[in-house]
């Protein structure tokens, strides 16, 4: 009945606003779940210049201002984003990482070869203490990804004991000898990464058994009730992976199942991060908006086995993936970041918000100098990317209550292919302010949107900010670091209770309604 009423009200609204095909209904009288702040999480792998040169410049006399080796400019920028969690040390690196290599005196730590990422020497100077202390500095929650592919159950359990045990135990003693008496109480633990690929090339059935074994030994330490065991999840549309895990892993052994989805045009021809055509842009948008279908279908499987919604879906790798910048190490995955990336971020975060009942956490890949980074560094210089600005604009949704939205969108056409042009999500924060995030992915056409408010709620004022640029290919460079940044938005008008918004082509807008 409610759906029918909504349809009728949308239809009548459609008739009176025939000039605008775009209608967004804010179902303000039907509040949804809280949007977990952890949807706005990040990911830092030992890959290229993410850790070394990105986060960490070492304690020994770097001219770059730092605190215990961690760049002060990066800390300030990430604190401004209020990053809720940070995943480490991988990625593929995680299943080659032996945490004991990264503790104790730095000059005694072994060096290893980073076989996944450029074959470079990893000197282990950034290890468990460095990462967890950095998370304290960033006021963010660590998410540790444990080694399943080439590690042992004992090694994994010892890491948990080392990090979390409050009391007398061999690993707690070792931690104290290394300078840290109190445990860090890490809540989020990944049980391997991409077990179907770099994490061991396992079948779903085999991993489900291995997962059960590892998860068995992931409790029994002081904060056992609080930890989250996150199973290595599917890639893209591998629904069999999710089905097999949900069927074969008892629900008392798992708190979340992961999913990875990258917006990549073609794995063997990814194309330039900045020199792309509109057709390539359209394909990237197809990949990004596919997140909606992926979440719906993985969640439908989870609903079947977990109707009480106890197990979360964690999208712990997402973002755009292009060819590396010319002249850079192909194994370092360093790419520029344009307005196209801002579109990926805006659309994806709206999708996550709208699925906040099951998607409780997500991690953009990756924070600094790798893939769809929010920060790029060059020695002492640091710039913020368009993706950073989207994350900053959207931080108002963190831990706010979802307002379900219904969207009727005009089409964004590319030849005979089409996508919806407009993507939206909304929430109300603890002070009663409503935030509506709108994205128009159309490369060249403005979209006029009529916003209708369901129920008795009405608004008296509207303000907002917009992120856009003249060309899709525009980006921030070290020469022009502020070419793209959010500015005040004057395209929203509230008149007699009706809100109309003129969304320029390829733009992200955050409105605040009171
Ligand atoms: O984010 C880069 C890599 O992409 C990660 O290491 C891996 O998990 C994924 O394939």
């Amino acid at each position: 009945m409610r759906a029918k009423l909504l349809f009728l009200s949308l239809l009548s609204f459609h008739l009176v606003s025939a000039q605008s095909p775009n209608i967004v209904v804010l179902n303000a009288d039907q509040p949804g779940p809280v949007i977990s702040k952890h949807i706005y999480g990040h990911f830092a792998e030992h890959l290229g210049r993410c850790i070394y040169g990105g986060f960490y410049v070492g304690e020994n006399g770097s001219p770059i201002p730092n605190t215990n080796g961690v760049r002060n400019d990066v800390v300030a920028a990430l604190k401004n984003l209020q990053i809720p969690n940070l995943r480490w040390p991988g990625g593929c690196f995680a299943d080659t990482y032996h945490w004991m290599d990264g503790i104790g005196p730095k000059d005694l730590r072994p060096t290893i070869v980073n076989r996944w990422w450029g074959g470079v020497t990893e000197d282990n100077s950034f290890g468990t203490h460095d990462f967890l202390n950095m998370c304290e500095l960033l006021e963010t929650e660590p998410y540790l990804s444990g080694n399943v592919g080439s590690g042992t159950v004992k090694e994994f359990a010892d890491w948990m004991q080392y990090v979390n045990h409050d009391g007398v135990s061999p690993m707690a003693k070792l931690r104290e000898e290394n300078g840290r008496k109190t445990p860090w109480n890490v809540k989020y633990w990944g049980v391997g990464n991409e077990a179907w690929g770099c994490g061991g090339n396992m079948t779903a059935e085999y991993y489900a058994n291995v997962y059960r074994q590892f998860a068995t030994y992931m409790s029994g330490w002081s904060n056992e009730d609080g930890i989250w065991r996150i199973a290595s999840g599917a890639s893209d549309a591998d629904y069999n992976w999710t089905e097999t895990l949900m069927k074969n892993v008892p629900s008392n052994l798992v708190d979340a199942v992961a999913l990875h989805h990258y917006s990549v045009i073609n794995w063997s021809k990814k194309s330039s991060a900045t020199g792309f055509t509109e057709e390539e842009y359209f394909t990237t948008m197809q990949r990004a908006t596919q997140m909606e279908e992926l979440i719906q279908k993985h969640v439908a499987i989870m609903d079947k086995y977990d109707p009480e919604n106890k197990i979360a879906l964690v999208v712990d790798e997402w973002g755009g993936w292009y060819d590396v910048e010319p002249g850079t190490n192909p194994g370092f995955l360093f790419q520029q970041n344009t307005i196209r990336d801002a579109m990926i971020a805006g659309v994806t975060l709206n999708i996550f918000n709208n699925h906040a009942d099951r998607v409780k956490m997500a991690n953009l890949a990756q924070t600094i100098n790798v893939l769809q980074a929010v920060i790029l560094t060059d020695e002492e210089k640091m710039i913020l990317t368009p993706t950073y600005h989207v994350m900053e604009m959207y931080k108002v949704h963190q831990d706010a209550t979802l307002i379900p939205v219904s969207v009727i969108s005009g089409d964004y056409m590319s030849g005979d292919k089409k996508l919806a042009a407009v993507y939206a999500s909304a929430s109300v924060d603890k002070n009663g302010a409503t935030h509506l995030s709108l994205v128009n992915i159309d490369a060249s056409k403005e979209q006029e949107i009529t916003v209708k408010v369901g129920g008795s709620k009405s608004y008296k004022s509207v303000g907002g900010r917009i992120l856009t640029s003249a060309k899709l290919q525009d980006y921030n460079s070290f020469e022009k670091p502020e070419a793209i940044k959010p500015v005040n938005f004057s395209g929203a008008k509230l008149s007699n209770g009706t809100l109309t918004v003129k969304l320029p082509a390829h733009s992200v807008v955050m409105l605040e309604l009171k």
Side-chain angles (χ1 to χ4, degrees), residues 95 148-149 191-204 206-208 232-233 241 260:
D95 283 291
V148 170
V191 185
N193 168 75
E194 297 193 349
W196 41 264
C198 63
N201 279 310
M202 301 177 196
T203 62
Y206 183 78
Y207 174 69
S232 167
W241 188 273
H260 289 181

Side-chain angles (χ1 to χ4, degrees), residues 43 45 47 91-92 117 193-194 260 262 317 321 366 371:
F43 172 30
E45 181 164 9
L47 195 179
C92 293
W117 306 119
N193 168 75
E194 297 193 349
H260 289 181
Y262 285 99
E317 288 187 28
W321 192 323
Q366 298 193 6
L371 299 177

Side-chain angles (χ1 to χ4, degrees), residues 46 51-52 56 58-60 93 97 101-114 120-127 130:
H46 285 238
I51 297 294
Y52 300 109
Y56 182 74
E59 294 95 328
N60 299 327
F93 181 77
Y97 184 62
D101 291 348
I103 58 170
K106 295 202 173 183
D107 55 349
L108 298 181
R109 295 183 189 177
T111 55
I112 59 165
V113 177
N114 189 334
V120 295
T121 300
E122 163 65 59
D123 68 3
N124 281 302
S125 57
F126 189 87
D130 308 273

Side-chain angles (χ1 to χ4, degrees), residues 1 13 15 74 91 141 159 195 221 264 293 491:
M1 184 55 154
F13 216 73
L15 295 176
V74 161
E141 284 203 54
W159 201 17
W221 304 105
V264 63
E293 179 188 329

Side-chain angles (χ1 to χ4, degrees), residues 146-430:
N147 183 346
V148 170
S150 70
T152 63
V153 176
K154 179 181 185 313
E155 183 183 8
F156 200 129
D158 279 351
W159 201 17
M160 289 196 83
Q161 188 192 129
Y162 187 88
V163 165
N164 280 359
H165 189 227
D166 191 7
V168 179
S169 77
M171 291 299 119
K173 182 165 174 284
L174 185 58
R175 181 185 71 225
E176 196 173 341
E177 283 164 13
N178 286 327
R180 174 80 184 203
K181 183 162 172 44
T182 53
W184 287 279
N185 286 328
V186 173
K187 174 173 174 149
Y188 299 106
W189 292 85
V191 185
N193 168 75
E194 297 193 349
W196 41 264
C198 63
N201 279 310
M202 301 177 196
T203 62
E205 288 76 11
Y206 183 78
Y207 174 69
N209 280 337
V210 170
Y211 176 88
R212 291 164 63 127
Q213 184 190 9
F214 274 72
T216 303
Y217 301 95
M218 288 176 69
S219 57
W221 304 105
S222 302
N223 74 338
E224 63 180 288
D225 293 332
I227 64 160
W228 263 37
R229 293 149 301 179
I230 302 169
S232 167
S235 171
D236 307 303
D238 183 356
Y239 302 113
N240 175 57
W241 188 273
T242 301
E243 178 100 35
T244 306
L245 287 190
M246 293 300 295
K247 187 159 54 180
N248 295 316
V249 176
S251 60
N252 66 326
L253 282 182
V254 59
D255 303 280
V257 170
L259 168 67
H260 289 181
H261 174 60
Y262 285 99
S263 297
V264 63
I265 291 173
N266 179 335
W267 282 108
S268 50
K269 197 167 179 289
K270 301 187 207 73
S271 115
S272 162
T274 53
F276 53 90
T277 62
E278 192 187 327
E279 203 183 339
E280 288 171 327
Y281 167 74
F282 187 88
T283 307
T284 305
M285 291 302 103
Q286 282 181 317
R287 304 288 185 265
T289 56
Q290 197 198 351
M291 187 67 89
E292 175 66 40
E293 179 188 329
L294 293 173
I295 290 179
Q296 279 186 24
K297 291 188 173 169
H298 284 289
V299 165
I301 295 164
M302 296 177 78
D303 285 346
K304 195 164 74 175
Y305 294 96
D306 174 35
E308 289 177 34
N309 194 1
K310 289 191 173 148
I311 301 170
L313 182 63
V314 165
V315 188
D316 55 13
E317 288 187 28
W318 67 272
W321 192 323
Y322 318 110
D323 287 339
V324 298
E325 291 305 312
T328 65
N329 187 329
F332 281 13
L333 308 186
F334 175 66
Q335 64 189 38
Q336 248 298 354
N337 196 292
T338 66
I339 282 290
R340 169 170 64 171
D341 295 278
M343 297 299 109
I344 297 175
V347 162
T348 307
L349 293 170
N350 279 342
I351 293 170
F352 290 160
N353 287 345
N354 291 331
H355 287 282
D357 55 342
R358 186 69 87 163
V359 178
K360 305 279 187 203
M361 189 169 182
N363 302 81
L364 174 63
Q366 298 193 6
T367 321
I368 310 177
N369 296 329
V370 171
L371 299 177
Q372 191 176 340
V374 290
I375 290 173
L376 303 178
T377 64
D378 178 11
E379 301 294 344
E380 77 290 355
K381 286 182 264 180
M382 181 196 83
I383 58 172
L384 309 176
T385 66
T387 302
Y388 176 97
H389 293 303
V390 175
M391 282 281 189
E392 191 276 321
M393 290 164 76
Y394 275 58
K395 71 184 177 187
V396 289
H397 286 311
Q398 291 189 21
D399 282 343
T401 301
L402 180 76
I403 298 178
V405 292
S406 315
V407 180
I408 295 180
S409 170
D411 294 331
Y412 166 34
M413 302 294 302
S414 172
D416 58 355
K417 292 177 285 190
K418 67 179 177 191
L419 285 171
V422 175
Y423 300 81
S425 70
S427 66
V428 55
D429 70 16
K430 56 181 184 309

